[in-house]
Amino acid sequence: MNKKPLIALKGISKTFGKVAANKNIHLDIYGGEIHALLGENGAGKSTLISVISGVYMPDGGTIEWNGEKVNFTSPKEAMKYGVGTIYQHFKLVEAMTARENILLGQKGKIFRNDNKVDKDIKTIIETYALDVDLDKYVMDMSVGERQNLEILKVLYRGAKLLILDEPTTVFTPKETEKLFKIMRKMKEQGCALIFISHKMDEVMEICDKITILRKGETVKTLDKTGTNPKELTEAMVGRAVDLSIEKVECTREEKLLNVDNLVVLNEEKAEAVKSISFEIRAGEVFGIAGIAGSGQKELCEAIAGIASVKSGSIVFEGENLVGKNPREFVKRGISMSFIPEDRLGMGLVGSMDMVDNMLLKTYYSEKGFLINRKPVAEKAKALKGTLDIKTPSIHYPIKYLSGGNIQKILLGRELSSNPKLLIMAYPVRGLDINTCFIIYNLINEAKSKGTAVLFIGEDLDVLMQLCDRIMVMCDGSSSGIISSEDATREKLGLMMVGADE
C-alpha cells in the first residue's frame, strides 16, 4: 500500500441553509484499499460522496489528490483525475447497447477505430473479470449486468478511485459474491474503493478500513481486523445498541388474506405475476424473497388495489378486493396499509411536510370541509421522536431529507393507523442498521396485536429471523413456500433462480 493517500479530505464542510451536512471531515483513502463509509441516515455520507465526485463544492476544507491540492468543480473534473462513482440508480441509457453506453459523451470518439476501442474495453473486461456483453441492450440486462457495465464504463474512462453507493441493495447472494470478486481484483490492481453499505456482514467481509460518520462529522477510522459489528454500530449511533431480532411466535389461526391463482399484468400488459396462491394468518409475518423484478412489486400493488389483475382472487376478511381501488378501500373501512417500493413516487409527496403527508392517509375519511391539523401535528412530533427522524421541523418539505428519513416518515404514517394487514415492499432499504432494528421491533409489535404482515425483503438473514413463512418468487411464479425454521440462505438462493436443490 502507498504511504501517500490517493485522496485526502482535510476539514471538509458543507452546509445547506441551516443544516450542516458535513462538518470538518477528515478522510484518507489509499490505493489498493477497500474503505467502508458507515453512518446513520442523515450522517452526511451522500453529501461527502457528492463532494468527492464534484457534484458539490465544499464550503470549507481542502481536497488533495496524490498530495496535490485540487478543486473538483464538476463530476467531469473529478473523473478527469480518476474519480468514478456508481450510484444506487444507474446512469445508463436503456435503449443503447453496452458499448454505446461506454462511449456516450466521450470526446474524440466520433472518428474512432472500433477495433482498437473494442480491444481496449475487452482488456479491461479480462483484467477485472467483468461479465459484460458489449452488444447487449441495457433494457435486456439483469441488475448485476448493469452494475458490471457501470464499473466497466468508469474504468474505461480512467477511474483510479471507485465509489460504490449501496451496490448490493437488490442483489442475490451470488451476485454479491461476483461483485466482491471484481472489487478484490480492482484492489489487486492498485485501485482505491469507497464502499457504502448498511449491511454490516458485507462491510466486515470485503473492507480493509472503516470510517464512521455521525451527525456530519468523522468519529473514527478503524482497521476491519480490530473491530466488530457491535462496536461499529455503537460508534454510528453514539450509544449501546441491541442487534438482535426477537422472534414473536404466531399463535393465531384465523386467515385474514387469501390469494388464489392470481395473475397480474405489468405496465406493458405482460404477465408479471403468474397464478400465485397463498394465505396469511392474523399475527403472521409472511415474507417474500426473490431477485429484483420477479413480480414482487406487481403482487403488492395488486393486493393494494393499484395494479391490474387479469384473473384470480384476493380475499381479505371474506371480501374479494379485485376491481376495487385504494379510495374504495378507505370508504369501505378495509383496514390495510401499503408501504410501496417507490417512496416519493407513490407513498409521499416531496413538496409537502410531515404533517400534510400524514393527513393524506385520512383525507378521504374526513367529514366536512375543515380538517383539524392539530392532532396530526402532535402525531408527527411523536413520530419524529420515536423514529429519530432528522428534519429541521415537522413543517419542512420532506424532499430535502435523506432517503432514509423519508422512508421513516412513510413507515411511521402507515404503522400509526394500526392496520389489520400491512404490506411492506423493501421497508428497510437504505436505512441504517439502528433504524432497521427499530422497524423490526415495530413489525413485531404490530404482529403481537394481530396484524398480518406481508414483508418483501432482500436480506435473506432478516427474512429468516423475522418471518414465520417465506414464499420465493422467480420470474413471476412461486418457487415454493418454506417455514423460516427450514430455510437456509442456500435453499432460498436456489429457489430464487428456479433451481432444484
Side-chain angles (χ1 to χ4, degrees):
M1 189 181 288
N2 300 326
K3 288 183 180 177
K4 188 191 293 180
L6 178 65
I7 190 168
L9 309 181
K10 300 184 176 182
I12 294 294
S13 298
K14 183 66 185 174
T15 304
F16 299 97
K18 294 178 183 176
V19 180
N22 289 160
K23 294 181 276 186
N24 194 33
I25 283 184
H26 293 268
L27 180 67
D28 291 339
I29 307 290
Y30 294 82
E33 169 186 280
I34 302 174
H35 199 123
L37 208 55
L38 292 183
E40 289 190 280
N41 298 116
K45 302 185 299 294
S46 297
T47 302
L48 189 61
I49 291 172
S50 296
V51 167
I52 298 170
S53 304
V55 175
Y56 298 145
M57 289 279 286
D59 298 325
T62 58
I63 300 174
E64 290 182 3
W65 185 266
N66 273 328
E68 292 182 17
K69 189 177 172 183
V70 293
N71 288 308
F72 296 154
T73 55
S74 68
K76 199 171 184 180
E77 180 76 12
M79 188 70 244
K80 198 167 78 178
Y81 278 91
V83 179
T85 306
I86 313 292
Y87 294 98
Q88 279 176 277
H89 303 290
F90 302 138
K91 313 283 186 186
L92 298 168
V93 181
E94 295 218 343
M96 287 185 173
T97 64
R99 183 186 289 101
E100 288 166 342
N101 269 277
I102 292 164
L103 299 175
L104 191 65
Q106 294 288 287
K107 280 187 178 179
K109 299 296 180 186
I110 300 170
F111 304 106
R112 64 180 190 263
N113 182 330
D114 284 345
N115 289 336
K116 186 183 182 309
V117 166
D118 271 18
K119 191 178 176 186
D120 292 344
I121 294 173
K122 282 170 182 172
T123 298
I124 297 169
I125 289 172
E126 287 165 16
T127 303
Y128 297 101
L130 293 163
D131 182 18
V132 178
D133 178 350
L134 294 178
D135 296 310
K136 194 170 185 177
Y137 283 89
V138 172
M139 67 178 76
D140 299 324
M141 292 182 179
S142 68
V143 178
E145 287 175 313
R146 291 180 189 212
Q147 192 175 73
N148 276 355
L149 174 56
E150 283 278 26
I151 293 170
L152 176 57
K153 189 172 78 174
V154 296
L155 286 172
Y156 180 73
R157 295 176 186 190
K160 298 179 186 72
L161 168 64
L162 184 69
I163 303 169
L164 294 153
D165 183 15
E166 298 281 356
T168 64
T169 301
V170 293
F171 274 16
T172 62
K174 202 167 274 299
E175 285 175 320
T176 299
E177 202 179 294
K178 283 182 183 174
L179 174 65
F180 285 180
K181 278 183 183 173
I182 294 164
M183 289 171 68
R184 289 187 182 103
K185 196 75 180 170
M186 292 177 72
K187 174 183 162 180
E188 284 171 22
Q189 298 291 325
C191 290
L193 296 98
I194 296 177
F195 181 73
I196 296 166
S197 176
H198 289 306
K199 298 179 181 179
M200 207 63 80
D201 56 335
E202 292 182 358
V203 169
M204 295 303 291
E205 181 183 343
I206 195 67
C207 297
D208 303 301
K209 284 185 182 174
I210 301 157
T211 292
I212 310 287
L213 297 186
R214 188 168 73 234
K215 295 180 180 176
E217 300 180 76
T218 36
V219 176
K220 58 173 79 171
T221 296
L222 301 160
D223 283 322
K224 186 261 299 282
T225 51
T227 188
N228 58 66
K230 192 172 190 303
E231 181 187 5
L232 294 171
T233 305
E234 289 177 3
M236 283 163 56
V237 179
R239 63 178 188 278
V241 178
D242 182 11
L243 295 180
S244 59
I245 299 176
E246 187 183 340
K247 186 72 169 279
V248 175
E249 292 305 316
C250 176
T251 56
R252 305 183 188 222
E253 292 299 323
E254 66 266 35
K255 293 168 188 171
L256 273 183
L257 181 74
N258 188 67
V259 174
D260 188 42
N261 284 318
L262 188 68
V263 178
V264 184
L265 305 178
N266 61 18
E267 291 171 358
E268 286 77 39
K269 303 301 177 189
E271 290 186 1
V273 176
K274 304 166 185 174
S275 299
I276 275 185
S277 300
F278 63 90
E279 58 192 33
I280 308 180
R281 291 175 290 158
E284 179 182 27
V285 180
F286 186 83
I288 296 183
I291 297 167
S294 294
Q296 305 96 314
K297 175 177 177 284
E298 290 82 3
L299 175 62
C300 278
E301 291 177 1
I303 298 169
I306 298 166
S308 173
V309 174
K310 183 181 178 185
S311 61
S313 63
I314 302 165
V315 178
F316 176 68
E317 291 193 306
E319 183 173 0
N320 194 348
L321 303 183
V322 173
K324 298 179 178 70
N325 60 41
R327 193 178 294 188
E328 287 177 81
F329 287 5
V330 174
K331 287 180 179 175
R332 298 173 77 92
I334 292 167
S335 181
M336 182 191 298
S337 283
F338 175 38
I339 294 160
E341 187 177 355
D342 184 0
R343 299 162 191 174
L344 281 178
M346 289 177 67
L348 301 166
V349 179
S351 57
M352 289 183 177
D353 62 21
M354 272 184 76
V355 178
D356 285 339
N357 270 290
M358 292 188 75
L359 270 169
L360 287 175
K361 183 74 180 170
T362 56
Y363 179 75
Y364 290 110
S365 59
E366 291 285 342
K367 301 285 186 277
F369 294 102
L370 296 175
I371 295 171
N372 186 358
R373 295 167 59 87
K374 194 174 178 182
V376 183
E378 290 301 318
K379 194 182 269 189
K381 277 182 193 170
L383 198 65
K384 182 176 181 287
T386 305
L387 293 182
D388 191 24
I389 297 166
K390 293 177 175 65
T391 175
S393 158
I394 58 169
H395 302 294
Y396 188 75
I398 66 165
K399 66 182 176 184
Y400 298 120
L401 305 180
S402 71
N405 284 303
I406 291 169
Q407 180 73 324
K408 289 183 196 178
I409 293 168
L410 177 57
L411 279 160
R413 184 188 74 186
E414 297 303 317
L415 285 164
S416 66
S417 66
N418 294 316
K420 286 186 179 178
L421 174 63
L422 178 59
I423 304 165
M424 313 177 90
Y426 309 107
V428 297
R429 180 182 285 172
L431 295 183
D432 59 74
I433 191 165
N434 183 47
T435 307
C436 288
F437 280 89
I438 291 172
I439 301 306
Y440 302 147
N441 289 336
L442 288 172
I443 290 169
N444 275 328
E445 277 178 31
K447 179 183 181 179
S448 61
K449 292 175 188 173
T451 298
V453 181
L454 178 65
F455 183 95
I456 296 181
E458 51 216 356
D459 188 320
L460 299 183
D461 292 320
V462 168
L463 282 165
M464 290 186 287
Q465 289 175 61
L466 187 67
C467 301
D468 298 288
R469 292 181 298 144
I470 302 163
M471 179 173 78
V472 181
M473 291 186 70
C474 176
D475 192 27
S477 300
S478 169
S479 297
I481 297 172
I482 187 170
S483 72
S484 57
E485 286 82 7
D486 295 332
T488 64
R489 287 177 64 87
E490 292 70 30
K491 274 185 189 176
L492 293 173
L494 285 167
M495 290 168 78
M496 283 165 74
V497 294
D500 295 323
E501 288 183 55

